[in-house]
Amino acid sequence: MQLTTEASCQGTSISFNEPTLSLEWSLDVFRLAGSRGLYNTLVTNGYMTPESLSLLIDAGLDAMNVDIKGDAEVGRKYCKTIDVEKVWSACQLARSRDVHIEVTTLIIPGVNDSEATLRSIARRIATDLGPDVPWHIARYCPAYKFSAPATPVRTLEHAWEIGEEAGLQFVYVGNVPGDPSDNTYCPACGSVLIRRHGFDILQNNLRAGCCPDCRYSIVGVWASV
Ligand SMILES: [Zn+2]
């Protein structure tokens, strides 16, 4: 906590090591950070019980990015028979308790890049969570035990189109710096709201969380400008 003050951090994010494996530690961090006015986030596979998620929310969880890795078959085949419905349920619970949710899908050729799988994920984000929930379509690159070539950009662009067709308002292609979908566009008038390159924010046009041109309110947690 001392380091967050010294570095002028605005919040915490428990990530990289799956945070559901360190529930008690996360609860301690969230309570401490919340008492100092910091926000708290998770980057997680979302595979948690309603009880543990409720504990995290009560301790001060503000937002989480959840991996939806695929459909039921992908869960069975590649994720040691996990039930992906539990992940969707966790997302719905968080959403119902006003936790900001974003979904990420790492698209791996031959694993979860089929038309049916991508359409099913996009449709469920729109219907089960809401069309204003951002969907990040991340590019896979070979590592460790996976040697398949990196995801073709064309596949990611098609997934982006699928997200748009499903009615999702915020679809981003990840791990392709310079892709036009790095930017956030106003769902109502199309204006560029946030211009990015990779992880860098080049321009933020939001005014109090709204489009400067048409005043459409953009979902998210924004610094007041
Ligand atoms: Zn607008």
Side-chain angles (χ1 to χ4, degrees):
M1 282 302 124
Q2 185 182 339
L3 290 174
T4 64
T5 305
E6 291 173 9
S8 301
C9 291
Q10 297 177 339
T12 72
S13 184
I14 301 182
S15 179
F16 290 97
N17 287 326
E18 170 53 45
T20 51
L21 300 177
S22 52
L23 176 66
E24 296 83 355
W25 182 79
S26 301
L27 295 173
D28 288 345
V29 169
F30 284 0
R31 291 185 188 114
L32 196 53
S35 71
R36 294 182 176 219
L38 302 173
Y39 63 74
N40 292 305
T41 67
L42 292 180
V43 180
T44 173
N45 62 25
Y47 200 58
M48 58 185 96
T49 62
E51 292 80 6
S52 57
L53 178 55
S54 293
L55 285 171
L56 288 163
I57 296 171
D58 292 342
L61 174 65
D62 295 297
M64 61 180 188
N65 187 305
V66 180
D67 278 343
I68 297 288
K69 300 178 189 299
D71 53 18
E73 185 185 347
V74 170
R76 278 193 298 270
K77 191 170 178 182
Y78 294 98
C79 305
K80 298 192 181 294
T81 73
I82 72 149
D83 178 5
V84 73
E85 291 306 317
K86 291 180 179 172
V87 181
W88 285 109
S89 295
C91 291
Q92 286 181 299
L93 173 58
R95 179 85 172 166
S96 73
R97 293 199 51 192
D98 294 327
V99 173
H100 178 75
I101 290 276
E102 305 204 3
V103 171
T104 294
T105 300
L106 181 73
I107 299 185
I108 306 173
V111 174
N112 59 359
D113 62 340
S114 74
E115 184 89 9
T117 298
L118 295 173
R119 286 198 183 280
S120 72
I121 296 171
R123 195 180 314 118
R124 286 198 69 173
I125 295 172
T127 58
D128 293 11
L129 304 180
D132 56 359
V133 169
W135 187 28
H136 300 268
I137 306 154
R139 187 184 201 194
Y140 142 92
C141 289
Y144 193 43
K145 294 185 179 179
F146 260 78
S147 56
T151 315
V153 172
R154 179 69 199 111
T155 301
L156 299 160
E157 290 172 346
H158 184 53
W160 185 90
E161 292 164 358
I162 287 172
E164 291 282 301
E165 288 169 18
L168 299 180
Q169 295 175 338
F170 306 102
V171 185
Y172 302 95
V173 169
N175 300 339
V176 184
D179 189 277
S181 75
D182 274 354
N183 301 327
T184 296
Y185 300 91
C186 175
C189 75
S191 287
V192 177
L193 300 175
I194 303 174
R195 196 180 298 280
R196 301 184 181 84
H197 187 276
F199 292 124
D200 295 325
I201 294 178
L202 307 179
Q203 192 177 17
N204 182 352
N205 297 326
L206 282 170
R207 292 292 174 271
C210 295
C211 172
D213 293 328
C214 73
R215 307 302 301 163
Y216 188 87
S217 180
I218 307 300
V219 68
V221 181
W222 310 108
S224 54
V225 178

